[in-house]
Structures are given as C-alpha cells and as structure tokens.
Amino acid sequence: MTDRRAHITGTGMYVPERVVTNEDLTKLMDTSDEWIQQRSGIRERRHVEPGEETPADLALHASRRALEDAGLGPGDIDCIVLATLSAQADFPGTSFFLHERLGVGDIPCMDLRAQCCGFLYSLQMADSLVRTGVYGRVLVVGCEVHSTGIELATRGRDVAVLFGDGAGAVVVEASDGAPKGSEILEIRLHAEGRHAKKLWVEYPNSCFPGRLTHELLDAGAIYPKMEGRFVFKHAVTRMPEVLLETLNAASVKLEDVDLFLFHQANLRINEFVAKSLEIPPEKVFNNIERYGNCSAASIPMLLAEATRQGRLAKGQLVAMTAFGSGFTWASGLVRW
Ligand code: UT7
C-alpha cells in the first residue's frame, strides 16, 4: 500500500454579472424583500443573460481559475467530473461542452447527478480515482444555471426566489508522501430515494411517451416542485448527523474544526444546524445572501471565496456539509 493521498491544489469560482435583487423579483411575482430575507437570508442572486451565457461558459471560467490557482493548464488534467442538476442538454449533459471549451484532448469527462450534494459526491469520486492511481489529476466542477428553469411568476415563487446561477471548481491531485495542497481526509455520502419526489422536476419524463405535452407545459409541470417544510426538517436532521459521522471517522473533534461550509439552501437551515451543534457563528462561512442557492456549485464557490478572503489558511480544518434533492446528504473534511 503506497502513501498516495489526494489533495485539493486549486479552487475557482464564477458567477454571471447580472445581479437580481429581491426587489427585482417583486416586479415579476407576488413576493417581498422582507419575506425572502426572513425565510431564507437571501438578498440577491446572479442570473445569466438568457441566450448569451451557457452552463459550460460558467464552468469554463471557474475551471480556468482553479487550474491557474493550481499552477496548471487544461492539458495537465486526466479527467473531468462535473456535478449539476441543470444540465446544458438532457444528454450529453454539461461536462462535454466544458470539455470542448477547455480544449483538453480526449480525456474522459462525465456529469454526476446528486443535486445539492453533487460536489461532495464528485469529490469522493475524484479522491478515490486519485488515491487508487487511476488518474493523477481530476478537475471537479459544480455548475448550475437555474434561472432558465424556474418559474419567475407567483405560481413558482416558493422555489424561484431561492435559486441562483454560478459555478465552482477544484483541482484534485495525487501526492506520494510530501503534501502538495489541502489533503482530503474523509468524505461520507448518503441517499434516501423514497423522498425523491419531495423536491424534483417531473417533466420532461422518460416514463411517459413523448415526455411532455402542451397541457403539461401550460400547467407548469416542467418547473421544480418542493415540499419546503418537509425538506427543511430533513436537512436540519441529516446535516448534523453526517457531519458528526465524518468527524468521527477522521477522529477529529467538532471544536477542532476551523471553518464550516454548509450548503447554501437557506441561511435559517445553517443557523439551525450550527446552533444544534453549538458551533460558534464566526466559524461558519456563508455567501447565500449574495448568490442564493447554487446547488452543486454552492460548496466549491464557498471554498474559492473563503480562501481568497483569507477565511481559510494553510493547516486549518474545513468541514463541508450538504443536503438536497434525492434526498442526498454528505459531508467532507479537508486539512487545508
Ligand atoms: O437545496 C435543496 C434543499 N432545499 C432546502 O433545503 C429548502 C428547504 N425549505 C425551505 O428553506 C423553506 O421551507 C422555504 C424557504 C422554501 C419556505 O419557507 P417556509 O417558512 O417553509 O414557508 P412555507 O412554504 O410554509 O410558506 C409560508 C407562506 C405560504 O402562504 P400561506 O399558505 O401561509 O398563506 C406561501 O404561499 O408563504 C407563502 N410563500 C411566499 N410568500 C411570499 C411562499 N413563497 C413565497 C414567496 N414570497 N416567495
């Protein structure tokens, strides 16, 4: 057995320039800045200019920044794993369009579907691929364009006000012996498929001939549906559970963690989780106020911002925890 470990050696993020404030949304639907801030903590989010920016564009900017941060070029990576729930095309997804834009030869790429836990699922895959020697360097990307798939009208307001567009990326590299970057110590993943329909998009649906009808389109069946309170309750139970499981597996005490990065679905969920575990608020880094819920992109965006803002220093322990559609829940621990 070699001492081959996997390290995060670069981070990057990108969000579209167009800022959409809560006030902007009140012109499209019956909502208010007060309702949105009180229930979710969100003040604004970013939306792409429709028809001008694609998911692959967002992923490209984030990936280039992560590669530059790692001191690498596109030709240095061996595989791309891209997590998304808002694929550029039903098939082949988003990663192939990123592959083309990056110009990476004929290395493999794939889309991974685990919704808001997609980044941590992808990171575990990259960690395994690197530690077992299958690949030396894996680019892991979380990328979402939600704004073109939510109903920006009163009918869809419960979901529409929460989501934003963005991308985050990290480079995962092998090291034999001497540490090369931030070591991935532990990642734990879970799922519970019986709750798949509590937060989902039903149509287009391949169980159904033609996949979609005009009637379904008019009824708004292509938009995400969520039982908000049910999801909230499960999130605040599962997130502490999987975080503690991960820390236990790594023999790390909760109080020894320097920074907690929670999925950015709702500031109230994160405050609830932190309070239930007696985590001091200053150890939790959030950016939901500015970007909303970017699903698979939220955690790599947090990582990129936390390092650039000096919130995450060399040698510190960072714990990342997420919950989302599927249901999925996951946590990862990294020595930065
Ligand atoms: O990322 C994946 C994981 N996702 C999550 O973790 C999200 C979990 N759920 C939540 O964060 C919360 O449930 C929400 C923020 C989505 C909603 O907050 P809530 O306190 O659970 O509100 P609610 O759904 O119970 O709705 C309360 C009221 C309803 O009106 P009535 O029936 O009391 O008259 C809604 O129709 O608020 C109304 N409402 C709105 N009002 C203004 C729903 N959406 C809006 C809106 N603006 N955007």
Side-chain angles (χ1 to χ4, degrees):
M1 195 72 180
T2 67
D3 193 22
R4 193 174 164 97
R5 310 288 304 174
H7 290 81
I8 295 176
T9 57
T11 65
M13 67 162 278
Y14 178 79
V15 286
E17 277 181 19
R18 184 154 73 102
V19 176
V20 177
T21 63
N22 293 345
E23 209 50 48
D24 293 333
L25 293 179
T26 64
K27 291 167 195 134
L28 303 170
M29 62 187 81
D30 180 13
T31 190
S32 66
D33 177 47
E34 192 195 1
W35 192 96
I36 301 170
Q37 287 214 42
Q38 232 172 46
R39 306 285 172 135
S40 71
I42 300 167
R43 291 199 309 263
E44 60 188 43
R45 73 287 293 141
R46 303 295 181 95
H47 284 182
V48 293
E49 291 293 348
E52 288 179 25
E53 263 182 317
T54 66
D57 292 331
L58 272 52
L60 178 70
H61 292 306
S63 300
R64 281 189 177 148
R65 288 174 185 175
L67 286 166
E68 192 187 331
D69 192 34
L72 299 172
D76 297 318
I77 52 173
D78 305 314
C79 177
I80 301 171
V81 184
L82 185 146
T84 189
L85 68 75
S86 53
Q88 187 156 328
D90 220 6
F91 72 87
T94 300
S95 62
F96 296 86
F97 299 104
L98 170 65
H99 188 281
E100 182 200 4
R101 302 289 307 281
L102 262 179
V104 284
D106 63 356
I107 64 164
C109 66
M110 65 197 87
D111 282 37
L112 190 148
R113 302 182 61 149
Q115 298 64 251
C116 297
C117 291
F119 174 74
L120 289 172
Y121 268 64
S122 302
L123 194 63
Q124 191 194 59
M125 180 179 265
D127 178 52
S128 309
L129 289 169
V130 160
R131 279 193 296 106
T132 51
V134 176
Y135 298 121
R137 293 184 184 121
V138 180
L139 176 65
V140 180
V141 188
C143 173
E144 306 288 0
V145 172
H146 284 309
S147 59
T148 53
I150 48 178
E151 189 169 28
L152 291 163
T154 300
R155 188 173 62 175
R157 66 181 180 174
D158 58 329
V159 171
V161 300
L162 302 175
F163 289 97
D165 302 341
V170 302
V171 177
V172 177
E173 286 192 68
S175 83
D176 292 296
K180 220 175 192 177
S182 309
E183 184 177 343
I184 300 170
L185 301 176
E186 192 65 53
I187 300 176
R188 295 286 167 132
L189 311 178
H190 293 281
E192 196 173 22
R194 72 195 169 109
H195 296 315
K197 296 182 180 177
K198 298 293 184 187
L199 172 51
W200 74 320
V201 176
E202 189 171 6
Y203 292 95
N205 184 320
S206 59
C207 302
F208 180 76
R211 300 191 177 179
L212 189 63
T213 62
H214 291 291
E215 290 72 28
L216 285 165
L217 198 57
D218 292 342
I222 59 163
Y223 297 116
K225 299 283 178 297
M226 171 168 71
E227 284 186 34
R229 293 198 168 203
F230 188 88
V231 177
F232 192 106
K233 274 191 211 145
H234 281 254
V236 296
T237 311
R238 294 307 198 182
M239 287 171 70
E241 233 175 66
V242 71
L243 171 56
L244 293 179
E245 176 195 334
T246 306
L247 297 181
N248 269 339
S251 304
V252 166
K253 290 200 219 96
L254 190 72
E255 55 270 31
D256 292 335
V257 176
D258 298 287
L259 192 69
F260 293 88
L261 303 180
F262 296 130
H263 172 53
Q264 304 291 289
N266 185 333
L267 196 60
R268 309 295 160 238
I269 291 178
N270 296 354
E271 288 168 351
F272 200 100
V273 171
K275 203 164 169 207
S276 72
L277 293 174
E278 297 179 18
I279 295 169
E282 59 275 15
K283 280 194 172 186
V284 183
F285 181 63
N286 292 299
N287 59 17
I288 190 171
E289 310 90 290
R290 287 170 288 127
Y291 303 130
N293 182 351
C294 297
S295 300
S298 285
I299 288 188
M301 283 167 60
L302 284 172
L303 273 177
E305 274 204 331
T307 50
R308 280 158 185 76
Q309 291 182 11
R311 290 292 306 266
L312 197 47
K314 188 111 203 77
Q316 288 191 325
L317 278 170
V318 56
M320 303 167 276
T321 306
F323 180 88
S325 158
F327 286 160
T328 50
W329 59 105
S331 193
L333 183 71
V334 174
R335 167 77 65 192
W336 209 252

